[in-house]
Amino acid sequence: MLIRRPRPGDSAAILPSEITSESVYLNRRKLLQAALAAGVAGIGAGWVSEAGAVADLKVQRNAKYSLSDAPNSYEDITTYNNFYEFGLDKSDPAENSSRFKPAPWTVAVTGEAEHTGKFALEDLLKGHAIEERVYRLRCVEAWSMVIPWAGVPLADVLKRFKPTSKAKYVAFKTVLRPEEMPGQRSRSLDWPYVEGLRIDEAMHPLSLLAVGLYGKTLPNQNGAPLRLVTPWKYGFKGIKSIVEIRFTEKEPPTTWNISAPHEYGFYANVNPNVDHPRWSQARERKIGAGVFGSRVPTLMFNGYEQEVASLYKGMDLKKYY
Ligand SMILES: Nc1nc2c(c(=O)[nH]1)N[C@H]1C(S)=C(S)[C@@H](COP(=O)(O)O)O[C@H]1N2
Ligand SMILES: [Mo]
């Protein structure tokens, strides 16, 4: 029997049934507006809460760290997701995350740092200006999207805790709430989802703690209220709904590496020259570029070679995948 391994989504072409056409989307919005006007709760619950939950943010575009590419539509970004806590299909996170409560939110900062403790999200972000950064997200499944994130540089947040000289890595953990996250009631992955970065990767100016997109707070399906974004790495490093940040001396375990170690490594740097064991990484399908998609060459480090190559000087990138 052939057992298919779990993987961060689906590398095959999208099925017509997965595509939410513009007209269907607009009809849903009309339904939502009608429901709101009539004061009816429960109709299209996912959409009501999704639209209701996000709030405007004050953001300033950081041009230095933004692509000039046109971002994907809000619809693309919020309906084509990987968030296995809410199901395996791309449409599942938008449909199954309406009961998730991203507020109030507390993050535990632990491990090798002078200041540790539990912090309300508001306190974690206090004093940090929220930047907009347009990054490309390259999924390991060989598709990509351009997303206008809103967030704060991870380094600025981490430095306030004064990591000690033993802090060689930073580990992140997603919330464990099977009552609100139906995917956590099945054993598709080891819950909670965990990820990690080497400390110099975490301190790199491109690493972002995102709290929003398109100038609004994150919708649940995109990792509300706080998620990681490291644009030179495959999308699965961008852990969602973070509740713990731990400074460690040893390389921390990471969810996809636990799930399939010869397919997903710790580094997960985008690399068109190192194929996934089951498919090529040389090209990517741009989401939103039509049903037939537009396949374009994948760039080394997702286009951020100049900025990040020095982090990996002397390392064999085939061995450290
Ligand atoms: N907790 C958690 N974080 C996660 C995932 C997940 O399943 N669970 N999927 C990852 C993968 S494979 C990708 S490509 C990105 C997708 O982010 P987006 O849905 O906001 O585009 O989230 C990453 N973060
Ligand atoms: Mo992914």
Side-chain angles (χ1 to χ4, degrees), residues 140-270:
V140 76
E141 301 153 6
W143 53 264
S144 67
M145 269 198 225
V146 177
I147 303 178
W149 297 111
V152 300
L154 177 61
D156 293 354
V157 174
L158 296 184
K159 279 174 192 160
R160 278 179 33 201
F161 298 100
K162 297 200 182 326
T164 71
S165 59
K166 281 187 173 170
K168 306 280 194 242
Y169 295 87
V170 187
F172 303 87
K173 190 190 284 180
T174 292
V175 72
L176 182 66
R177 277 190 206 167
E179 331 75 60
E180 293 177 29
M181 299 175 126
Q184 285 183 340
R185 291 179 228 141
S186 81
R187 295 166 70 177
S188 50
L189 288 173
D190 239 33
W191 308 116
Y193 196 102
V194 289
E195 258 303 338
L197 296 170
R198 226 171 48 193
I199 190 88
D200 56 339
E201 298 179 314
M203 295 295 186
H204 191 280
L206 281 168
S207 293
L208 194 70
L209 264 183
V211 294
L213 60 87
Y214 263 114
K216 298 179 194 304
T217 54
L218 286 171
N220 288 343
Q221 60 268 37
N222 292 88
L226 182 73
R227 59 91 59 83
L228 177 67
V229 183
T230 47
W232 70 98
K233 294 176 176 286
Y234 290 118
F236 69 83
K237 296 297 282 184
I239 181 172
K240 294 175 169 181
S241 306
I242 296 167
V243 288
E244 187 180 347
I245 300 177
R246 173 185 285 278
F247 296 98
T248 68
E249 195 167 11
K250 290 201 188 109
E251 186 183 287
T254 58
T255 289
W256 281 102
N257 180 255
I258 294 166
S259 171
H262 21 258
E263 300 193 4
Y264 310 108
F266 176 79
Y267 284 92
N269 291 319
V270 174

Side-chain angles (χ1 to χ4, degrees), residues 3-320:
I3 298 171
R4 278 172 75 83
R5 280 177 200 276
R7 55 185 169 166
D10 192 329
S11 69
I14 32 171
L15 300 167
S17 62
E18 284 183 67
I19 301 166
T20 305
S21 72
E22 195 76 14
S23 63
V24 169
Y25 179 68
L26 290 172
N27 279 332
R28 280 186 184 156
R29 288 207 63 95
K30 275 197 204 125
L31 264 177
L32 159 64
Q33 277 158 8
L36 286 176
V40 180
I43 296 177
W47 293 85
V48 171
S49 108
E50 175 197 317
V54 298
D56 288 339
L57 287 171
K58 216 178 91 200
V59 299
Q60 183 100 51
R61 169 79 60 100
N62 182 329
K64 183 179 174 199
Y65 291 115
S66 288
L67 300 175
S68 52
D69 307 40
N72 277 83
S73 67
Y74 191 76
E75 188 204 349
D76 280 347
I77 296 170
T78 60
T79 60
Y80 191 89
N81 299 101
N82 273 337
F83 200 168
Y84 275 30
E85 284 84 341
F86 295 109
L88 309 188
D89 290 343
K90 294 290 177 283
S91 55
D92 284 343
E95 284 169 12
N96 300 335
S97 62
S98 59
R99 273 175 301 280
F100 181 72
K101 290 196 181 55
W105 197 262
T106 306
V107 179
V109 179
T110 61
E112 301 293 346
E114 283 177 34
H115 305 304
T116 54
K118 287 191 167 185
F119 303 89
L121 180 62
E122 296 72 29
D123 294 330
L124 196 76
L125 299 175
K126 201 178 280 168
H128 295 280
I130 298 176
E131 296 180 14
E132 178 171 77
R133 295 183 178 202
V134 181
Y135 284 163
R136 183 184 327 282
L137 183 144
R138 171 57 160 83
C139 180
V140 76
E141 301 153 6
W143 53 264
S144 67
M145 269 198 225
V146 177
I147 303 178
W149 297 111
V152 300
L154 177 61
D156 293 354
V157 174
L158 296 184
K159 279 174 192 160
R160 278 179 33 201
F161 298 100
K162 297 200 182 326
T164 71
S165 59
K166 281 187 173 170
K168 306 280 194 242
Y169 295 87
V170 187
F172 303 87
K173 190 190 284 180
T174 292
V175 72
L176 182 66
R177 277 190 206 167
E179 331 75 60
E180 293 177 29
M181 299 175 126
Q184 285 183 340
R185 291 179 228 141
S186 81
R187 295 166 70 177
S188 50
L189 288 173
D190 239 33
W191 308 116
Y193 196 102
V194 289
E195 258 303 338
L197 296 170
R198 226 171 48 193
I199 190 88
D200 56 339
E201 298 179 314
M203 295 295 186
H204 191 280
L206 281 168
S207 293
L208 194 70
L209 264 183
V211 294
L213 60 87
Y214 263 114
K216 298 179 194 304
T217 54
L218 286 171
N220 288 343
Q221 60 268 37
N222 292 88
L226 182 73
R227 59 91 59 83
L228 177 67
V229 183
T230 47
W232 70 98
K233 294 176 176 286
Y234 290 118
F236 69 83
K237 296 297 282 184
I239 181 172
K240 294 175 169 181
S241 306
I242 296 167
V243 288
E244 187 180 347
I245 300 177
R246 173 185 285 278
F247 296 98
T248 68
E249 195 167 11
K250 290 201 188 109
E251 186 183 287
T254 58
T255 289
W256 281 102
N257 180 255
I258 294 166
S259 171
H262 21 258
E263 300 193 4
Y264 310 108
F266 176 79
Y267 284 92
N269 291 319
V270 174
N271 190 340
N273 309 314
V274 178
D275 286 342
H276 185 278
R278 291 183 284 132
W279 59 83
S280 166
Q281 294 291 19
R283 299 174 80 77
E284 66 204 54
R285 181 170 56 88
K286 288 167 75 169
I287 300 299
V291 179
F292 299 102
S294 155
R295 287 194 179 269
V296 298
T298 287
L299 301 174
M300 188 67 197
F301 296 115
N302 202 23
Y304 297 99
E305 185 166 14
Q306 279 218 318
E307 288 90 338
V308 302
S310 63
L311 294 173
Y312 310 104
K313 223 170 29 209
M315 278 174 68
D316 177 352
L317 298 178
K318 283 206 162 76
K319 184 172 171 210
Y320 296 99

